[in-house]
Amino acid sequence: IADSGDAITLVYVDATKGWKLVNTADQNILQAAFVEATGGNTILTCGDFKTHIFTGDGTFEVIVAGSSAGSNTVEYLVVAGGGGGGDGSGSGGGGAGGYRTTYPSPATGGLPVSVQTYAITVGGGGAFSCSPTARGSSGDNSVFSTITSTGGGGGGSEGPLRTGADGGSGGGGNYPSSTAGGSGNTPPTPVSQGNNGGGGGGCYSGGGGGGAAAVGFQGKPSAPGAGGAGSPIATAFFGPTSGSYGTPGPAAGRYFAGGGGGGTQPPASDGTTQPGGVGGGGNGAIHPSTAATTGTINTGGGGGGGISSPVQPNGSGGSGFVAIRYKFQ
């Protein structure tokens, strides 16, 4: 098999590919040049790249680690679950889940991988608050290898927990205008994973949850704050099937991690609700008959804030998302 190698390493791939030679005693003379892996709900192939999609927990198994001659790193998109909206009059919207990515990067300049199995955790969205005395629940973390994206902070409620919770992006604050939104990028990451939630407004108006790309808007009298915008990732990351993931936005790409909109108790001055941020953020509730909406599943969007009279439910956060991309040929 090799002129001077006296030992080889084989890995069994599957029934179709059989055994694959990955190493000889001659310092990997016959080592494959590109990364090869399995795992995920879906594997997309576009040109020379594969993208493994995880919409729930799973494993990413690296069979061949590749080399600097081809590829030996991966790109990732790791989005945590969004926070749930607050309850009661003028509640805050949930903060978006933390958003972390290394795309775009060269085939040898992303996250190094080795031959092993990586556990993938896709964070669930935080539950909406069922009581004016409790914030919306924060979202759960999403994890791949050394990368952890933090769940979004829950929205502030009418009772003693008026401030938004800290998280990947912070939850929006309940009224009054002195109430702060939660802090984003908590705990901090080298490249920020999210933004602060908006503060509460006067006259029972809540602030919007923070998004991956922008802070949540502060509420104003009879006008709740909109959720902060999420971040886009180029459609090339997914290929032609990009429309199946994230949400469309004002520019090219698919958006993730938008903050939830705040709720308002009196009729809004313009008669409409304040929307969640692009990237799956839920809309806030509005007096008298518009309920809040939930964050979009697998976007990490925050849930919209609710109102209490008449009761209009708040929204839960959207679940997170993990995708891993690499050059395979």
Side-chain angles (χ1 to χ4, degrees):
I1 297 176
D3 289 339
S4 57
D6 58 4
I8 63 173
T9 300
L10 301 170
V11 173
Y12 184 76
V13 179
D14 53 35
T16 301
K17 296 182 179 180
W19 292 90
K20 188 175 186 67
L21 176 64
V22 297
N23 180 278
T24 79
D26 278 324
Q27 299 296 317
N28 298 334
I29 292 174
L30 301 179
Q31 181 179 351
F34 295 92
V35 171
E36 186 170 342
T38 63
N41 304 97
T42 304
I43 301 176
L44 309 174
T45 301
C46 182
D48 293 335
F49 290 85
K50 286 186 177 180
T51 304
H52 294 238
I53 304 297
F54 294 85
T55 55
D57 294 352
T59 58
F60 179 71
E61 183 176 2
V62 177
I63 299 168
V64 179
S67 73
S68 58
S71 68
N72 58 11
T73 66
V74 300
E75 300 164 325
Y76 58 79
L77 172 62
V78 180
V79 182
D87 191 42
S89 301
S91 297
Y99 174 104
R100 299 185 68 182
T101 184
T102 188
Y103 176 86
S105 63
T108 56
L111 181 72
V113 291
S114 59
V115 176
Q116 62 173 294
T117 298
Y118 295 87
I120 303 296
T121 301
V122 176
F128 57 80
S129 172
C130 294
S131 168
T133 62
R135 290 190 188 101
S137 297
S138 294
D140 296 327
N141 297 349
S142 290
V143 182
F144 161 54
S145 184
T146 59
I147 306 303
T148 297
S149 293
T150 307
S157 293
E158 186 176 8
L161 299 176
R162 293 182 181 274
T163 58
D166 301 339
S169 282
N174 192 273
Y175 82 95
S177 57
S178 59
T179 305
S183 296
N185 195 34
T186 305
T189 53
V191 177
S192 178
Q193 60 179 313
N195 289 280
N196 297 344
C203 199
Y204 305 98
S205 293
V215 299
F217 287 80
Q218 182 169 0
K220 298 179 180 179
S222 300
S231 287
I233 192 162
T235 55
F237 186 85
F238 301 110
T241 59
S242 61
S244 301
Y245 308 105
T247 65
R254 303 295 294 184
Y255 287 72
F256 292 83
T264 184
Q265 184 66 32
S269 56
D270 62 0
T272 61
T273 186
Q274 287 295 337
V278 59
N283 298 333
I286 187 171
H287 181 92
S289 58
T290 303
T293 59
T294 62
T296 303
I297 188 172
N298 292 134
T299 66
I307 60 175
S308 61
S309 179
V311 174
Q312 292 298 334
N314 41 3
S316 57
S319 55
F321 183 81
V322 174
I324 303 167
R325 180 179 185 266
Y326 56 89
K327 192 172 186 179
F328 76 98
Q329 67 179 14

